[in-house]
Amino acid sequence: HIDNKAVFEDVGQWKRPWYFKEHETETMHQAVQRESKQTRQTAGILDGSTLGKIEIKGRDALEFMNLMYTNPFTKMKPMTSRYALMLGEDGMIKDDGIICKINDQHFIATTTSSGAPKVLADMEEYLQTEWPHLKVYLNSITEQFSTFNISGPKTRDIMTRVFPNIDFSNEAFPFMTFKNFDYQNTKIRIMRASFTGELGYEIYISPKYVLELWEKIFSCGKTFNLIPYGTETMHLLRAEKGYIVVGQETDGTVTPIDLNYNWMIGKNKKDFIGKRSLSRPDTSREDRKQLVGLSPINKKDIIEEDKIVPQKEILVAPTIKFLKLLVTVLAGVMIIGFVIIVSLFILNFRTSNIPMPTKIELPSSVSPVAYTQTKNWYAIITDQDEILIYDRAGNQIQKIKVNFVSP
């Protein structure tokens, strides 16, 4: 990564490539636009080795996994994968990842990079204190496997050149399945999955062989302009697709229902961690925050990441029956040609009569729906689906027309 001019960021206990500089004067914004565009057009590869990886084995592994995650795994076929959510006992989302089911007695779970130690510790605690009768053994294998995520429309062509003896067709290698293969005197695991929405594969290999494979992938991908991309482009691509990241779209107060992830809750499961809490009055009320997306009508408008922050003082126009109240912009990112903003909203919020800042004079044609403020500016949502941003002196510095859409 250093040879490819990577700029690093801290992710948990890891240093991860944030973005790759094509030349010294390239800014992060320019690099992310270049990386995302190339991945959408041909292919890009991400070093995902920091993802937590936990091996779960034993006679009762299936029962244990059904208790730890919201998803059901009983009818899941061997050698298939499933995206899964882990909740706390309060029903709030704690972690997520992909579960690979080898058989009913053997699973491999991936976790968030920073959450891996906590997830493993929680699994061990529940086995020792809540379910000591279960015959299950856990092993952290995060550092035993390096991981690449390669995605883009030309991915299959590149993978076929890297592994000429493997059939990567849809029929032979369906989505969310994985297989083990012999490679250079070692075993590798290849899973067909994607965090970008494009055709994609994840490759798991021993660190001893990782550099040779990385260089081979780039040698075979040169014809297709394969590029490495960093975590910032990863967030851009996944936000465009509508995928979440635990710790960004969630903050310890978000349930699966808040994210419209009801489909990830096993309807017929007798129990799992957090199940009872999901039916509490507070977590089941209708006016909780909901994850939505915004896209500006003017595609050139940009809202910076984390520019709008939650405030207690919210103005609601009494005439607005169905309130679209902006609470937090959790990720404001520039996609190829337009902005997409993943936000938490409160729907049907109670009306109140908190006065507007006296320095601000709104156009007579609009009425305020909600406002929030920081020490530097005010942001006001109007009944015309606009976000008006003013400085502290009351001068309008930006007007953004938005569509309120579901991600």
Side-chain angles (χ1 to χ4, degrees):
H1 299 320
I2 294 175
D3 291 342
N4 285 321
K5 300 179 180 178
V7 177
F8 292 89
E9 69 166 339
D10 295 329
V11 179
Q13 67 270 46
W14 304 92
K15 292 281 189 182
R16 297 193 68 181
W18 192 12
Y19 60 96
F20 293 85
K21 280 194 170 186
E22 191 174 47
H23 50 79
E24 286 302 319
T25 60
E26 187 177 43
T27 65
M28 183 185 75
H29 175 77
Q30 292 169 337
V32 169
Q33 293 303 294
R34 173 180 52 80
E35 291 171 6
S36 60
K37 183 177 182 181
Q38 194 63 54
T39 300
R40 290 294 189 210
Q41 290 180 345
T42 57
I45 187 169
L46 171 78
D47 185 350
S49 301
T50 63
L51 284 176
K53 294 171 277 288
I54 302 172
E55 188 173 33
I56 301 98
K57 299 182 72 174
R59 182 192 68 191
D60 302 314
L62 175 61
E63 182 179 353
F64 174 73
M65 295 298 286
N66 278 329
L67 288 168
M68 288 300 305
Y69 290 89
T70 64
N71 313 60
F73 300 102
T74 303
K75 295 182 180 179
M76 184 176 171
K77 296 180 180 179
M79 305 305 289
T80 63
S81 306
R82 179 169 293 174
Y83 174 58
L85 287 179
M86 179 181 290
L87 307 184
E89 294 179 6
D90 57 1
M92 307 302 165
I93 294 175
K94 182 167 63 177
D95 204 82
D96 68 348
I98 292 181
I99 309 301
C100 293
K101 181 178 180 178
I102 299 170
N103 53 52
D104 286 351
Q105 292 80 42
H106 193 182
F107 294 80
I108 296 177
T110 64
T111 73
T112 56
S113 296
S114 59
K118 176 62 174 172
V119 171
L120 179 61
D122 287 347
M123 286 182 169
E124 290 280 13
E125 179 179 352
Y126 282 114
L127 278 175
Q128 294 180 38
T129 62
E130 304 299 323
W131 313 310
H133 61 286
L134 296 183
K135 301 298 182 182
V136 177
Y137 307 93
L138 306 175
N139 184 28
S140 173
I141 56 174
T142 299
E143 297 175 357
Q144 276 66 53
F145 292 94
S146 296
T147 307
F148 304 147
N149 307 76
I150 180 170
S151 60
K154 297 299 182 181
T155 297
R156 183 178 284 123
D157 298 304
I158 297 172
M159 292 291 285
T160 300
R161 295 189 180 194
V162 177
F163 306 103
N165 297 324
I166 299 177
D167 185 356
F168 289 100
S169 66
N170 289 329
E171 295 75 21
F173 215 134
F175 182 59
M176 295 303 282
T177 63
F178 65 94
K179 297 180 180 181
N180 297 313
F181 302 97
D182 292 320
Y183 178 79
Q184 300 288 14
N185 299 317
T186 189
K187 289 284 187 181
I188 63 170
R189 175 161 50 96
I190 301 178
M191 175 170 60
R192 184 174 166 190
S194 173
F195 198 43
T196 67
E198 300 285 354
L199 174 67
Y201 299 89
E202 293 187 2
I203 305 169
Y204 297 81
I205 186 171
S206 168
K208 179 180 179 180
Y209 304 93
V210 67
L211 181 58
E212 184 274 337
L213 178 57
W214 178 270
E215 292 174 344
K216 183 177 180 180
I217 290 173
F218 272 92
S219 176
C220 295
K222 188 175 182 180
T223 304
F224 305 99
N225 296 318
L226 173 69
I227 62 163
Y229 65 87
T231 55
E232 193 68 19
T233 293
M234 175 194 72
H235 288 304
L236 184 154
L237 295 172
R238 65 91 185 167
E240 183 180 27
K241 179 61 179 175
Y243 293 149
I244 70 160
V245 167
V246 171
Q248 296 198 23
E249 282 71 52
T250 70
D251 61 359
T253 68
V254 177
T255 73
I257 300 169
D258 296 338
L259 302 182
N260 294 315
Y261 274 21
N262 311 51
W263 55 274
M264 294 190 67
I265 302 173
K267 302 298 186 295
N268 298 320
K269 293 182 67 173
K270 293 182 179 179
D271 199 13
F272 56 83
I273 294 175
K275 177 179 171 63
R276 182 178 61 179
S277 294
L278 292 178
S279 60
R280 291 174 54 240
D282 181 65
T283 52
S284 60
R285 71 179 196 269
E286 294 183 356
D287 63 345
R288 286 183 59 83
K289 292 177 291 186
Q290 297 292 305
L291 183 72
V292 301
L294 296 175
S295 65
I297 293 176
N298 183 349
K299 305 304 181 184
K300 295 182 179 180
D301 285 331
I302 298 176
I303 299 180
E304 296 178 4
E305 183 175 356
D306 291 329
K307 190 169 186 179
I308 299 179
V309 297
Q311 294 287 327
K312 294 182 180 178
E313 296 183 353
I314 300 296
L315 172 70
V316 179
T319 57
I320 304 299
K321 296 181 179 179
F322 186 73
L323 171 64
K324 299 181 283 289
L325 170 60
L326 182 59
V327 176
T328 308
V329 173
L330 291 161
V333 290
M334 183 69 180
I335 312 300
I336 305 166
F338 66 95
V339 176
I340 196 166
I341 305 163
V342 181
S343 312
L344 281 176
F345 277 69
I346 294 177
L347 303 181
N348 298 323
F349 198 83
R350 295 191 305 272
T351 61
S352 62
N353 293 306
I354 299 172
M356 288 286 294
T358 56
K359 295 179 180 180
I360 293 179
E361 294 184 7
L362 290 177
S364 59
S365 59
V366 303
S367 297
V369 173
Y371 91 91
T372 186
Q373 66 186 60
T374 70
K375 65 179 181 179
N376 295 320
W377 45 261
Y378 301 97
I380 301 167
I381 297 177
T382 76
D383 58 353
Q384 301 300 311
D385 287 354
E386 295 173 328
I387 300 177
L388 304 179
I389 299 177
Y390 293 81
D391 62 22
R392 297 297 287 189
N395 302 310
Q396 183 177 318
I397 57 177
Q398 197 171 11
K399 179 174 76 172
I400 301 173
K401 191 76 173 177
V402 295
N403 290 323
F404 289 80
V405 298
S406 178

